[in-house]
Amino acid sequence: MTIPRDLYADSYYGVPVVMDEEGECLLTHDLRRAWAALNRFHRTENGASARDYWADNGLSIQDLTVYPTWLRPASGDPDWLWRTTTHDDPQAVPAIYIGA
């Protein structure tokens, strides 16, 4: 599935970054690529690495929740761009959630 540009904040190293009020989702199941993209995102947006950004907000890597999931575009819902789904959904996109 080609992900429409208006459904993610930006893309780094080929990994789209999706933001919400509770954390970030990286649209990949490759954890190394997810961390690299997230670090580049934070360096670009906040001028600091993801680790430093979280530390400035009183969090450490150990405080974060990190898990693989599947997302799909939430078409028709003005409050959400993405919804969780299952791997067998035709519109499923692999994602890694990282948040506090």
Side-chain angles (χ1 to χ4, degrees):
M1 172 183 165
T2 301
I3 302 166
R5 178 61 187 93
D6 62 336
L7 293 183
Y8 58 92
D10 216 331
S11 180
Y12 299 93
Y13 308 116
V15 177
V17 179
V18 176
M19 305 294 298
D20 72 19
E21 63 277 355
E22 297 178 14
E24 294 103 0
C25 279
L26 296 302
L27 301 184
T28 180
H29 272 171
D30 182 329
L31 190 55
R32 284 180 180 229
R33 289 183 64 217
W35 281 115
L38 189 60
N39 267 312
R40 176 55 55 203
F41 173 79
H42 278 285
R43 285 192 190 284
T44 301
E45 296 295 316
N46 306 310
S49 70
R51 181 180 298 214
D52 290 343
Y53 172 77
W54 292 317
D56 289 346
N57 288 286
L59 299 169
S60 73
I61 296 263
Q62 290 80 17
D63 297 323
L64 299 175
T65 301
V66 178
Y67 62 88
T69 189
W70 294 91
L71 300 177
R72 69 170 310 206
S75 57
D77 188 338
D79 296 325
W80 297 94
L81 293 178
W82 295 92
R83 293 260 186 225
T84 56
T85 190
T86 58
H87 73 281
D88 56 352
D89 183 323
Q91 291 189 307
V93 175
I96 293 176
Y97 171 82
I98 300 174

